Each structure stands twice: as C-alpha cells, then as structure tokens.
Amino acid sequence: MPEEIKKILVLFAHPSQERSEVNKLLFKASQEHSDVTTIDLYREYPTFHINIDREQQRLLDHDVIIFLFPLHWYSTPAILKQWQDLVLEYGFAYGAGGTALKGKTFFCATTAGGNEKAYQDDGYNHFTIRELLCPIEQTANLTGMHYLAPFVLFSSRNANEEGRIPGHIDTFNTLLTSLAANTLDLSHAASLPVLNQAFTQETQETH
Amino acid sequence: MTAYFIQAFIYLCAAVIAVPLAKRLGLGSVLGYLIAGVVIGPIVGLVGSETNTLQHFAEFGVVMMLFLVGLELEPRMLWDMRNKLMGLGGLQVGVTTAVIMAVGIYFGLGWSVAFTVGLIFALSSTAIVLQTFSEKNLSKTEGGKNAFSVLLFQDIAVIPMLALIPLLALPELVEKAQALVGQAAEHHEELSLVAGLPGWAYGITVLLAIAAVVVGGHYLSRPLFRYVASSGLREIFTATALMLVIGIAALMSLVGLSPALGTFLAGVVLANSEFRHELESNIEPFKGLLLGLFFITVGAGIDFGVLASNVGPVLGITAGVMLIKAAVLFLLAMIFRIKNSDRWLFALSLAQAGEFGFVLLSYTVQNHVIPAELAQMLSLVVALSMFLTPGLFILFDKVILPRYEVNENKPEADEITEKGAVIIAGVGRFGQMVNRFLVANKIKTVVLDQSVDQVANLRKINVKSFYGDATQPDLLHTAGIEDASMLVIAIDNNERAVELTKYIKHTYPKVMIFARAFDRGHHFELKHAGADFIVSETYHSALELGKEALIALGVHPFKAEQKKATLRELELCYKDSLYEMWKKNSEDSKYSTHFRELFIELETAIAKAMKSEHLDEQARVERGWTPPPKDYEKRMNKNEE
C-alpha cells in the first residue's frame, strides 16, 4: 500500500508571543515540517475579524488539525474560541450536511503553568487536563473528528530553567512526523490521559 | 578677467575628466583630484604660478570641512564616544608622534623639528578615509567605526597643534624671516586686531572672540535662521550659511586664531540646531568643490624638481611613515580588541598622512618651525602617502578580506536593526502622529519639515526635528537616507510627494516608502510611483466617524464595528482592480481624460462593487455567531438514523 502523506494544520494562538518560552518554539519547530501548514491566528486576525471562508477552506485542505496554545483559564486564548464560534458553522461542521470535518484527526497541544499533580482529582485544579478540555473534545465528537489526548507540557513556567524544552520540542517533532506518515496508533493515542505518553513509553522501550 | 576664466576652466575641466575616471577605476575621488592636479601642473604645465595663491583660497575648503565635522558632533555623541576618542585616538596621535619624533632625532633633526614632523604625520586623511568608507560601505564595520573615532580625535587635535606649533619657532629661521621682512615690510602686513597688543589684552581678545562664536551661535543663530527661513528663499539661506562660516573664519583670522578652530566650534554649537541638516546640505557642495580644488592644487604644486633630486629620501620617508603608522595602529587595535579583518582595516585605512598635513606644513613654515626646503620634501611625502592609500584599500579588499571571510561569521544581526532609522518628511498634523507613535515604540526617527514654526513647536516638546525641504536630495542625504530603512512621506504638496517617491525608489530602492495620500487619485499616483504602503489621510478617520454615527443612530456598537471591518475588507478586495483600471485609463488618454471624470468613474466602480457584494457581505456579517435552525436536533437525529 502506498504511503499516504497526511496534511497537518497547526492553528497557533498566543496573544503575547514576545513573552512566550515554549509555544513560540513549538510553532517554529512545526514550520520546519514540509507537510505542516502553520497559521498564527493573532498575526492573521489582529482585529479578530476572522475570514470564515478562508478558514473553512483550510480545514477542508488538511487531514490533521492541531490547536497550539498556552492554557488560559482552563481553556484556549480568546481568538481560538472566536475561531470555533465563527468557523465551525452549522451546515459545515455539524447539523444538516455538516460533514466537512468527518474523519479528520484533531488534538490540542498546550502548555500548563501548574505541575502534573495539580491537574488531578486531589490536586488544586481538581480536574485532569483532559477533563478541563472536555468542551473541545465534545466539539470534536460532534463534528465527527477523531479526538486525540492533549499534548501537554506541565510546569511550563519553569521548563526553560529546568532544561525540559528541547526534549519537549523533539517529542513534538516526532509526533508531527508520525502523524504525517500516518504511523501513529490513533486509537491508542485517543485513549491516553496525555498524548506525550505515547512517546515516553516508546523512547523508554528503545533505550 | 579672461585669464581667470581660462584658469578656472582648466581646473574644472581637469576635475571633470579625472575624478569620474578615478572613481570608475576604484581609486576614489581624492586620488582623482590629485592626479588631475599633477596632470595640469607639473606634467602639462598649463597652470603653476598661481597655485600658491589658489591653495590659500582652497584651504577654506578645509575650514568648511571642520565646520561640517563640528556639525556632526552633537555634544552628547561626543560624550558617548569619549573612551574610544580619548583612548584610541589619543594613543594613536601620542604614540605615532613619539615614534616618528624618535626616528627624526635619530636622523639628526632638532627635537622641535622632529616633534612637529611627528605631529604632522600622526594625522590621517579624514577626506580620503571617510570618502572611501562611504564609497565601500565600510562605515558601519567595527574597523570603520573605530577609524572614525580616531579621525575625529585627530581633527580635534589639530586645534591644540595650531596653538602649539608657533611656540616651537626656531630662532635662526625667525631671524632669517625677519631679515626678509625688513626688505619687504609692507608685503607682510596683514589685517589684525591684535597686532601690537600686550599679552593680557591679546588673551582677552581671543577669549572674547571664542565667546562671541559660542554665545552668538547658541542664542543668535536661531532667530537669524528663522528670520531667513521664513522668507522661503533657498538661496538666501545658502547665503546665510556661507556668511556665517566666512564671518567666523574672518573673525578668527583677525584675532590670530585658526579659522578652522572657529568654524569647528561654531559647528559643535550648531549641532543641536534644527537647522543643522539644512546648513549641512548648503555648505556641503562648497566644501566638496573647495576641497577638490585643494587637492588639485596639491597635485599641481608637487615640485617634480624637488622630487627628482630627492627620490630616495622621499620614497624612504613615505614608506617609513606609513609603516610606522600602520604598526602603531595595528598594535592599538590589538590592545583595544578590534578583531579579525577589522583590525587590518583599522590599521591600513589610517596609515597615510592627511590633508591637514599640508595645512600644518605651510603653517609651520609661516611660523618658522620647519625650514622651507624640508617642508617641501615633507609635502611630497604627505601627497605620496595619500596617493598610496587607495592601494592599501585594494590590498585590504583583495588580500586581507578573503582570508577572513572563510572562517568569519557574518556580522551580528543587531547591527542592521540599529541602522533602521525612519525619516519622516513633513510633520503637520499627520506626520506628527506617525512620529509620536514610532518614537513611543523606541524607533529612531529623523523629522524634516519646511515650516519653521512647526519645527520649533516640535523642538519645544523634545521631538528631534530639522528645518528643510525634504524633497531636496541633499537634505535627504544629510538626514541619512542611505542608512534609513523607511521614509514616511507626509508633505502637503501632492506632486512633490509623488516625485519624491519616484526619486527614492529609483536611487535608494531598499528604502521602504510609507506615504500619506490626499485622495484616491493621489493614492494611485503614489502607488504607481512605487510607494510600499499608502493611506489616504482621511480614510480611517472617516470610517471611524461613520461607525460612531451608526452607533448614535441605534446600531449596536459591536455590530457597527463589524460593518466597518466589512467595508474595509471590501475596499481592500477591490483596491487592486481599481488601480489597474486607473492605470489603463491614464495610459489610454494621458491628458485628455479630466481627472474629475476619472474620479467619478472610480466612485461608480466602487459603488457597483459594493452593491454586487452587498448581499453576500450582509450574509457574512450575519454569518458570525448564527445559532443553528430551530429544529436542528430533529434533523440531526434523522441524519443519525
């Protein structure tokens, strides 16, 4: 069977990129991949006036959709919500005839300030990150997309000082490559609490 | 009279032929002038007897050059450079002087003569080096910047030298001169205010003269320039600038000080003035021509008789001086951690003697410090070393640079951003806002305006601004258009804005042009001329007012904002096709179509475009945040079944 290259769309949302330590680098890394289309939403729509037609066409043109953003109050930055509100129209993404996104793969790549323990039942955030992103997961379900676990960097404010960023970027690159080559076990990736685990195990095995 | 015309024609003709030729051969304009002088002087013999008189006149070019150097030296910039200036420049002059003096004494010169020769040879040629740097784009390199601070120090050091040299007069030369003076007393008489004054009175007169320049420059120049500028006559401004320089030179001569010192001082005093760039661009051509004339007279004045009878010594001294200078500079570059090819650039570029050498040599002869015969020979050395300088630059280009380019990383990216100044032409209500916004974001701007009042007002609130006509290439040049990354055009004259755009795009294609258009037609003309970004001055404010009107009439503010954005988007969509239509129209019937008719045509086109898009657009505005149909769940369930 000839290998089919999957086309990936990264929708990047960061309102203060001059202060970004991780997301900006992940965005840059994704720009290096030839099969990845990268959109900086705040750059393209500084007035939030989103071009619905253009965005819908982009969705149609790609197989994998990634939201790349820093977690803001347990959700996406405002423009990604704006984007969802406007682009995922009735008749396009859901409802009668709304099948444009069916079968596509979708996940969130995000950074969280709190540590992993904080995002647990007994942690101070009380919910796991996957639980917090439930509205997005349900959006994916309703639009017929294949939802994968979120790809997360915890304790992101200290990641630079602790030297964890290069490794995280490496994993992200591996993730993008395997998504493009369609070698990722999607149902396994969907079942995990965080997508990172799909790779930490793998690397442990190879070591 | 006829003789003067013929002489002037010969000089100019030689320059016109030789200088472009020299530049084309990569030798630089200074060498062109020198060669022109050699050809018309000693070789062909067209000129000769008058070169001495002419040289005095042409030395005024040096006086003007110092005025311009002073103008460039804002006191604050001088302060920022103090370490390099004093350290690098001071050591260069000091060590070179000492070494050359030691060599001179070794060869049997008296200490005072050797010392003077050392001082003279410690100087390098500002004219050649700065000219070559800007021709070869080396000004912003590490070597270039350091070389500039050394040259600056040297230019300033000339002033104490001029004060010091008369003190070194040799008694036997003075006697000889006095004997001559006795023979032709009336010949030596010069206008002087200080002749025969006692020492204390002389001192006071000198101090008063300097104070007059500083205080006058600071307090009187501005009202004077404002008065002249408000007349709007460019030539009178030029006349004022010349009057100022000549006046100061005259005053200094009258009290027996160096005219160069006076004009330099005046330059520094005026460096902060809003008229600085206009002054510069007015004086610059005179300086250029007079300096050129000066170089020609130097070439013409080379005494081949002296050269022929002293070939060995002259060549030997030249080589020796250049070697010593280069070695001292190289050593200093090592101490001051100038690296790689920059070290070589620094050492080689400054290894010649300079034009001030000629001035100082004739000055030393006048003051009986150096015997005339020796001075004549040393003049040859200065000239020769200047002749050889372009060779050193070629050596640097062809031999030194390639050796470093392989393993040298490209210059740091920071340098480029530092260069990116924005020139704002016209600071009325529009340009001022642009400037405020850019300055608030730490962008370096240079502001030019033709209204004296406007510039004065801006100065009051500490905005760096200069008086002048921004459409004059000279003024743009002095404002630094070569190194600017952007020119904002916000002048009130529509035609000149278009002409300016064309000129800049043609001459400095790298400079981005952001222009303000008066109306749509002007907008298109600017675009046609090559402007990178154009905004019609009232466009956005009109849209804003329209939006507010909608709100006042009861439309929800958020919806009104949406409508505004839609209109803008529509304009953007149709901008290109409208422009194409305008271009076709103006090509078909360049002058027959009345502009008004054309404008009406454009408006109709837009109205049509708006109409045809209207429904879709309406739909798009409605499209955002549309809830699903009332019974959509029922339909969804049906789908699932």
Side-chain angles (χ1 to χ4, degrees), chain B residues 606-620:
Chain B
I606 287 171
K608 214 174 100 192
M610 291 283 264
K611 221 181 202 169
S612 70
E613 192 78 343
H614 192 67
L615 289 175
D616 298 354
E617 277 309 312
Q618 195 66 27
R620 178 185 285 179

Side-chain angles (χ1 to χ4, degrees), chain B residues 393-469:
Chain B
F393 273 106
I394 292 168
L395 177 77
F396 175 77
D397 270 351
K398 297 267 146 52
V399 182
I400 312 278
L401 212 50
R403 273 179 47 198
Y404 284 96
E405 259 171 0
V406 191
N407 44 18
E408 203 176 314
N409 288 329
K410 289 281 158 205
E412 308 97 84
D414 289 349
E415 293 289 308
I416 300 157
T417 53
E418 250 193 34
K419 261 171 118 181
V422 174
I423 298 176
I424 298 183
V427 277
R429 54 210 173 116
F430 193 95
Q432 236 175 83
M433 281 292 284
V434 176
N435 182 60
R436 192 179 307 151
F437 190 55
L438 293 180
V439 169
N441 284 287
K442 302 219 158 49
I443 310 272
K444 243 177 84 185
T445 63
V446 178
V447 163
L448 309 172
D449 201 282
Q450 222 176 351
S451 151
V452 190
D453 295 329
Q454 199 66 267
V455 168
N457 281 340
L458 279 174
R459 289 224 146 207
K460 267 183 215 150
I461 52 168
N462 285 334
V463 175
K464 215 175 177 191
S465 23
F466 298 101
Y467 164 82
D469 178 359

Side-chain angles (χ1 to χ4, degrees), chain A residues 25-183:
Chain A
L25 298 179
L26 289 173
F27 184 62
K28 256 195 196 140
S30 61
Q31 285 175 320
E32 303 291 314
H33 292 257
S34 55
D35 313 310
V36 178
T37 308
T38 53
I39 310 295
D40 179 346
L41 287 174
Y42 276 104
R43 177 185 294 277
E44 202 159 314
Y45 304 113
T47 58
F48 275 50
H49 197 72
I50 286 172
N51 185 330
I52 299 171
D53 287 328
R54 187 195 293 155
E55 292 306 309
Q56 290 185 345
Q57 189 56 49
R58 275 178 183 154
L59 289 173
L60 291 172
D61 291 343
H62 293 85
D63 309 300
V64 181
I65 320 295
I66 303 172
F67 282 180
L68 173 61
F69 60 93
L71 200 67
H72 280 192
W73 283 115
Y74 311 111
S75 183
T76 67
I79 205 167
L80 261 176
K81 181 65 167 67
Q82 175 96 335
W83 182 93
Q84 294 169 55
D85 293 351
L86 294 173
V87 179
L88 304 179
E89 276 182 317
Y90 179 85
F92 172 79
Y94 74 105
T99 56
L101 304 180
K102 210 158 231 167
K104 294 187 190 296
T105 304
F106 170 82
F107 69 94
C108 295
T110 190
T111 53
N115 62 40
E116 197 158 8
K117 276 191 188 143
Y119 289 92
Q120 280 169 8
D121 294 354
D122 49 355
Y124 66 82
N125 284 320
H126 294 297
F127 298 98
T128 68
I129 222 144
R130 179 146 186 172
E131 283 166 348
L132 289 169
L133 293 176
C134 262
I136 296 178
E137 181 165 355
Q138 180 46 32
T139 302
N141 289 340
L142 187 68
T143 56
M145 291 197 281
H146 200 82
Y147 185 79
L148 306 186
F151 179 74
V152 188
L153 181 72
F154 291 104
S155 304
S156 60
R157 298 298 299 149
N158 305 324
N160 189 26
E161 288 70 18
E162 292 164 11
R164 287 184 284 122
I165 295 176
H168 187 66
I169 290 171
D170 284 348
T171 315
F172 190 58
N173 278 325
T174 318
L175 172 61
L176 290 176
T177 312
S178 56
L179 279 167
N182 202 14
T183 57

